[in-house]
Amino acid sequence: MANHTPKPDDRSDNVEKLQSMIHHTIENMEDAEAAMVNSSPEDQQRIKEKNERRRESIDAFRAEIKDEAHNQQ
């Protein structure tokens, strides 16, 4: 039977990954808002709700970046 040992916890690039996730989330929000022009009222409402959830995610990403930066010091 093989010995399964976990990989060491490497957090050295977490801040960069989180910043990338924020960037992509903002791009998705902008694309969704551009699509609203040609969307039905129901779809516009769904897009608004989804973008609100995206804003909440961005806030969580930023809080996690602060935690990571603090832990790296």
Side-chain angles (χ1 to χ4, degrees):
M1 183 173 268
N3 183 11
H4 297 285
T5 57
K7 293 182 180 181
D9 188 17
D10 180 13
R11 298 175 157 237
S12 61
D13 62 349
N14 279 4
V15 171
E16 291 83 10
K17 288 180 183 177
L18 289 164
Q19 288 173 332
S20 176
M21 290 168 37
I22 289 172
H23 176 76
H24 291 295
T25 302
I26 291 171
E27 285 182 344
N28 289 340
M29 288 174 63
E30 292 170 349
D31 291 345
E33 288 173 5
M36 283 177 59
V37 174
N38 300 320
S39 300
S40 68
E42 295 85 12
D43 286 341
Q44 289 178 2
Q45 184 60 35
R46 280 193 284 272
I47 290 169
K48 287 177 185 177
E49 291 169 359
K50 187 161 189 170
N51 277 352
E52 182 56 37
R53 291 191 299 273
R54 287 176 170 142
R55 283 184 196 88
E56 293 169 2
S57 294
I58 289 170
D59 290 343
F61 292 150
R62 288 182 175 146
E64 194 168 341
I65 285 173
K66 287 179 186 176
D67 288 344
E68 287 293 328
H70 182 268
N71 289 335
Q72 288 179 359
Q73 293 177 353

